[in-house]
Amino acid sequence: MFRRTAFAALAAVAAVAVGGCGGDTPVASSPSTSSSALSGTVNVFAAASLTGTFTQLGKDFEAAHPGVKVTFNLGGSSALAQQINSGAPADVFASAAPKNMDDVKDKATPTNFVKNTLEIAVPKGNPGKITGIKDFADKNKKLAICAAQVPCGAAAAKVFAAVGITAQPDSLEQDVKAALTKVSLGEVDAALVYKTDVLSAKDKVEGIEFPESSKAVNEYPIATLTKAPNPDGAQAFVDYVLSDKGKMVLTAAGFDAP
């Protein structure tokens, strides 16, 4: 009797042990290895007007992903698009206008992430006595605008057409930062740039808003490149730009939500 009872008890214990290996009992899961940690370099081609914000976002992204390096090629969106189409090793493209993004052949679906508005930049003290957008038709003023193929230049053309003036620029710049530099150095009386550029220049220039700027608001798209050397890093950086942290940096710099 004792042997039969002991055997039954042992069998019951074994049954419980076997049952514990079934699917109904939760077991500790090991960390997923399906997505490896990010590494390498992320090459970001971005419009010149994104210089300050993307430089900050790049530093923040690197801090969040140790071992990843973000490098930037900053300039006119039209020139960047040409470089990408010519085979430049880009992972991400952020353009200051949809048109230049459309010109890029090998890209994923773009996402508009911010908007920007034109503003008149003048040297401190406004020595040229600039009062508004119509001053850009004054041949006696020294003026700088962006070239027509650059987003800030295309936006300027829309504004001039809306106002009904023919601009008389002394220089056509290949990106908005170059136009802003001419103002900060006192080489021109005014330049047509973005409001974010005026804010980034801080005490070097003054800004003059004008109501006609609403006629040409630029939307900025961002996309990964389908031939990106670092596709995982590229997508992670785009996701970071579109995240709440990214939006905070962009909004603080004066960009508007799309």
Side-chain angles (χ1 to χ4, degrees):
M1 177 65 72
F2 174 78
R3 288 178 179 177
R4 289 198 297 272
T5 303
F7 180 79
L10 289 171
V13 171
V16 171
V18 172
C21 295
D24 293 338
T25 303
V27 293
S29 60
S30 58
S32 173
T33 57
S34 59
S35 58
S36 58
L38 298 177
S39 61
T41 300
V42 181
N43 297 315
V44 179
F45 284 43
S49 51
L50 293 166
T51 299
T53 51
F54 267 40
T55 299
Q56 182 60 53
L57 289 173
K59 293 178 181 178
D60 295 343
F61 183 80
E62 289 175 346
H65 300 281
V68 177
K69 176 67 176 177
V70 181
T71 63
F72 292 103
N73 182 10
L74 301 158
S77 296
S78 57
L80 296 177
Q82 290 177 358
Q83 292 171 27
I84 293 170
N85 287 336
S86 296
D91 293 299
V92 176
F93 180 39
S95 171
K99 178 188 180 302
N100 303 106
M101 178 65 75
D102 292 341
D103 291 340
V104 173
K105 301 173 184 176
D106 302 308
K107 62 179 181 298
T109 303
T111 299
N112 291 334
F113 65 106
V114 289
K115 292 190 297 187
N116 212 349
T117 306
L118 293 176
E119 189 169 328
I120 300 170
V122 299
K124 295 293 290 184
N126 192 9
K129 307 301 180 184
I130 302 296
T131 59
I133 194 65
K134 291 185 178 180
D135 284 318
F136 279 81
D138 189 343
K139 295 181 179 180
N140 296 317
K141 306 290 187 185
K142 293 181 180 179
L143 307 164
I145 61 175
C146 295
Q149 70 271 20
V150 184
C152 60
K158 290 181 181 179
V159 169
F160 297 145
V163 179
I165 63 172
T166 300
Q168 302 292 331
D170 293 274
S171 66
L172 297 173
E173 303 302 324
Q174 294 304 308
D175 65 64
V176 72
K177 290 299 182 184
L180 184 69
T181 298
K182 284 192 171 292
V183 178
S184 62
L185 294 177
E187 295 178 359
V188 295
D189 295 318
L192 204 52
V193 299
Y194 296 116
K195 68 175 183 179
T196 53
D197 296 300
V198 174
L199 287 173
S200 68
K202 297 181 179 179
D203 60 345
K204 295 180 181 179
V205 304
E206 295 178 5
I208 300 174
E209 296 180 353
F210 57 100
E212 297 86 356
S213 63
S214 62
K215 303 295 183 181
V217 177
N218 276 24
E219 291 193 337
Y220 287 48
I222 187 171
T224 60
L225 284 304
T226 56
K227 295 182 179 179
N230 188 350
D232 291 339
Q235 188 58 57
F237 182 81
V238 171
D239 291 342
Y240 194 83
V241 171
L242 299 177
S243 71
D244 289 340
K245 290 182 179 179
K247 291 176 183 176
M248 287 178 61
V249 172
L250 291 160
T251 300
F255 287 99
D256 296 318

